[in-house]
Amino acid sequence: MNSKLRSMGGFQLRIHDQMITLEGAKATTETIAALKTTAAAMKGMHKAMKIDDVDKMMDEINEQNEIIIQIQDALATPIGSAANFDEDELEAELEELESAELEEELLQPATTASAAAIHAAAEKQPTRPIRAAEEDELAALQAEMAL
């Protein structure tokens, strides 16, 4: 009886091993079928798409981009009275004005700058009504939390 039980256990083990092997084979077969389907689909897509057509399309896109740039450059070109200004002359005049402004600031007395700094610092100090309002708000929040 003991040997029959062992035989039956061996049979069950073999059957179980065969089931695992069949499941693995089935998964492999399904994977290969999916890969074949994917390869066929890609091949069909590539038949419709030729590298020469893609290169031609990219050339056309680049050509259109160049045309847009030329149009934008043409629109950015000054016309009328704006076209008569010399950009270098305008830059020189701007530098001259900035230099004169800087020189004027440097020649002002130092006490003026100190007074301005003191005034700015005084403005940053919180005023009493604001502090009182904050304290009232804090008290209200504490009262709410006590509920």
Side-chain angles (χ1 to χ4, degrees):
M1 178 105 158
N2 214 1
S3 70
K4 278 190 171 188
L5 284 175
R6 250 190 270 154
S7 294
M8 291 293 227
F11 292 149
Q12 284 181 336
L13 185 59
R14 283 190 197 132
I15 290 173
H16 184 66
D17 286 344
Q18 288 301 312
M19 287 174 52
I20 291 173
T21 302
L22 283 173
E23 287 175 1
K26 182 180 177 185
T28 301
T29 303
E30 289 173 354
T31 302
I32 290 172
L35 290 172
K36 283 181 181 178
T37 303
T38 303
M42 289 176 68
K43 191 174 184 179
M45 285 184 227
H46 290 150
K47 281 183 182 178
M49 239 187 319
K50 293 182 175 47
I51 190 67
D52 292 336
D53 293 339
V54 173
D55 285 340
K56 183 180 176 183
M57 179 185 60
M58 293 306 296
D59 288 341
E60 289 173 1
I61 289 171
N62 288 331
E63 184 178 322
Q64 293 305 313
N65 284 338
E66 288 175 16
I67 291 171
I68 288 172
I69 290 171
Q70 290 173 355
I71 290 170
Q72 290 172 342
D73 287 344
L75 291 174
T77 303
I79 56 174
S81 62
N84 296 331
F85 289 115
D86 181 14
E87 197 167 317
D88 293 332
E89 185 179 315
L90 290 174
E91 286 289 329
E93 187 176 344
L94 177 63
E95 285 180 27
E96 186 179 314
L97 289 171
E98 288 174 344
S99 175
E101 185 177 309
L102 178 63
E103 187 176 313
E104 187 177 312
E105 285 180 19
L106 291 174
L107 291 177
Q108 289 183 354
T111 56
T112 307
S114 300
I118 292 170
H119 181 65
E123 287 180 355
K124 290 182 182 177
Q125 293 294 326
T127 60
R128 191 70 177 139
I130 292 174
R131 186 170 291 242
E134 289 174 351
E135 289 174 3
D136 291 342
E137 187 177 341
L138 178 61
L141 287 173
Q142 288 173 341
E144 284 181 32
M145 292 174 66
L147 291 177

